[in-house]
């Protein structure tokens, strides 16, 4: 397996920037991983806000405490909980991940040509 494919697969299958670390490009790998992590945490904040809203509905009695009721509330949140669901960072995260894979592959091919 070539270094370029190995780096691209590591970035694609594990976490953005991991392939850069294999190529000894630590700075750019840390940038990809760090920026992706920031957007990942922001997405988790949105998810936890919806979970807290559903938990508040359970405590207030608007949602039953059975598994079926909670499952239905997760699939179809109430209007005030649904307003919290935005997931606005998912597209950015996908773009960062794709750029990380493409850049790891590009740098792997460039390193091969440099050393050959």
């Amino acid at each position: 397996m070539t270094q370029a494919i190995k780096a691209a697969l590591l970035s694609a299958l594990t976490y953005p920037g991991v392939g850069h670390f294999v190529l000894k490009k630590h700075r750019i790998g840390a940038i990809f991983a760090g920026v992706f992590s920031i957007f990942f945490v922001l997405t988790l904040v949105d998810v936890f806000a919806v979970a807290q809203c559903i938990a508040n509905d359970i405590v207030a009695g608007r949602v039953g405490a059975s598994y079926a009721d909670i499952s239905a509330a997760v699939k179809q949140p109430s209007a005030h909980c649904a307003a919290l669901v935005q997931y606005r960072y998912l597209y950015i995260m996908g773009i960062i991940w794709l750029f990380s894979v493409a850049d790891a592959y590009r740098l792997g091919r460039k390193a091969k040509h440099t050393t050959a």
Side-chain angles (χ1 to χ4, degrees), residues 47-68:
V47 169
F48 288 140
V50 173
Q52 184 63 47
C53 184
I54 292 171
N56 291 341
D57 283 350
I58 293 168
V59 171
R62 291 186 289 266
V63 174
S66 71
Y67 176 79

Side-chain angles (χ1 to χ4, degrees), residues 92-111:
I92 297 169
M93 291 168 58
I95 290 168
I96 291 169
W97 207 314
L98 288 175
F99 276 136
S100 172
V101 171
D103 191 54
Y105 183 77
R106 180 188 65 85
L107 289 174
R109 286 186 51 94
K110 185 177 172 183

Side-chain angles (χ1 to χ4, degrees), residues 6 8 30 46 55 71 77-78 82-83 85 89 96 104 106 113:
K6 183 178 180 180
D46 287 349
S71 180
S78 61
V85 179
Y89 305 113
I96 291 169
R106 180 188 65 85
H113 294 304

Side-chain angles (χ1 to χ4, degrees), residues 17-100:
V18 172
H20 293 83
F21 287 105
V22 170
L23 296 171
K24 306 288 190 247
K25 302 291 185 182
H26 301 290
R27 183 174 295 151
I28 191 71
I31 290 170
F32 274 119
V35 171
F36 183 84
S37 295
I38 289 169
F39 287 115
F40 183 68
V41 167
L42 291 173
T43 301
L44 285 179
V45 168
D46 287 349
V47 169
F48 288 140
V50 173
Q52 184 63 47
C53 184
I54 292 171
N56 291 341
D57 283 350
I58 293 168
V59 171
R62 291 186 289 266
V63 174
S66 71
Y67 176 79
D69 292 338
I70 294 171
S71 180
V74 169
K75 291 176 185 171
Q76 293 279 325
S78 61
H80 64 284
C81 290
L84 299 173
V85 179
Q86 295 181 11
Y87 303 121
R88 58 186 169 259
Y89 305 113
L90 290 180
Y91 297 111
I92 297 169
M93 291 168 58
I95 290 168
I96 291 169
W97 207 314
L98 288 175
F99 276 136
S100 172

